Amino acid sequence: MAQQRKAAGDRRAEIRRVALDLFTVHGYEATSLRQIAEQLDITKAALYYHFESKEAIVRSLFEDRLTTLDALIDWAEGQPHSPERSARVAAGWFGLMIDDGLGFARFAIANQAALRDLRPDHGGALDRLQKISSLLAEPGASELDRLKIRMAMMSVNLAVMGSHGLDLTDDEILTAATETASLISPGFPVVVRS
């Protein structure tokens, strides 16, 4: 039974990865469930078993990211402020981009109009950005320092947008984002890709 669940989870992940690629290349509106199924070499019925619509695929991508951020926030709120906690929080934030996140960021940039209607409305990434930036800030940090931390965190998103049309690898984009983050907010924990 556990093997079947793992296989179903693997299939869901594969569906989401392929859908994300197709949505990014062809656009969310122009991509059909039939195209996703064909790309995966499965039937539409098999696809429907995992996701009833394109909207469900996109919502699941959002939900996973928000769940990951919530777990990071919950963990960090239970820890004393320290360089180690800050490093883990920064790594968690950048990890969303590192672990398949550049594809999600590219999708979001390419499909902004569709995303306004599809994103879940319960707190969202902006609230989490504010919470995480507060966790990264030194006790008593000024508002300007807090802004710099938020800007450093957003350097990954900006790097993805700025890299459009450039022949760069994901590693080069993430390195540029990390270097930029440390320039914007000196002391911002350096994120190393393992």
Side-chain angles (χ1 to χ4, degrees):
M1 184 76 93
Q3 185 65 21
Q4 284 180 324
R5 279 193 211 124
K6 184 176 184 233
D10 290 346
R11 176 58 81 180
R12 283 180 59 86
E14 183 182 17
I15 290 168
R16 292 187 324 186
R17 182 187 51 76
V18 167
L20 200 59
D21 290 345
L22 290 171
F23 295 155
T24 301
V25 172
H26 302 291
Y28 173 80
E29 296 297 334
T31 302
S32 68
L33 286 174
R34 178 189 53 77
Q35 288 171 303
I36 297 168
E38 286 175 357
Q39 185 75 28
L40 290 160
D41 198 26
I42 62 174
T43 66
K44 258 178 79 172
L47 180 59
Y48 279 123
Y49 175 78
H50 298 284
F51 295 102
E52 70 274 3
S53 64
K54 294 188 304 184
E55 295 85 1
I57 296 170
V58 173
R59 285 197 175 97
S60 75
L61 291 164
F62 274 113
E63 293 293 331
D64 281 358
R65 280 167 173 62
L66 295 178
T67 298
T68 299
L69 286 175
D70 287 341
L72 178 64
I73 290 166
D74 289 345
W75 172 84
E77 288 178 336
Q79 305 298 315
H81 186 82
S82 69
E84 293 79 20
R85 182 187 82 169
S86 293
R88 186 162 169 190
V89 168
W93 178 265
F94 275 68
L96 282 175
M97 289 296 162
I98 293 168
D99 300 334
D100 182 37
L102 288 177
F104 186 79
R106 288 183 184 107
F107 156 73
I109 291 166
N111 295 280
Q112 291 177 32
L115 287 183
R116 279 191 290 276
D117 298 329
L118 296 173
R119 72 176 184 270
D121 187 30
H122 44 77
L126 184 56
D127 287 349
R128 286 151 178 96
L129 169 74
Q130 292 170 349
K131 286 181 183 178
I132 290 174
S133 67
S134 293
L135 291 164
L136 286 170
E138 291 293 326
S142 70
E143 294 295 305
L144 183 58
D145 286 339
R146 291 176 186 276
L147 172 61
K148 288 178 182 179
I149 289 169
R150 291 178 186 182
M151 291 169 61
M153 292 170 62
M154 296 302 298
S155 66
V156 178
N157 303 67
L158 295 172
V160 172
M161 291 173 68
S163 68
H164 183 75
L166 299 175
D167 187 24
L168 296 170
T169 66
D170 288 355
D171 284 337
E172 290 170 324
I173 294 166
L174 291 166
T175 297
T178 301
E179 290 171 359
T180 302
S182 65
L183 290 173
I184 293 170
S185 181
F188 190 85
V190 175
V191 179
V192 179
R193 187 171 183 175
S194 54

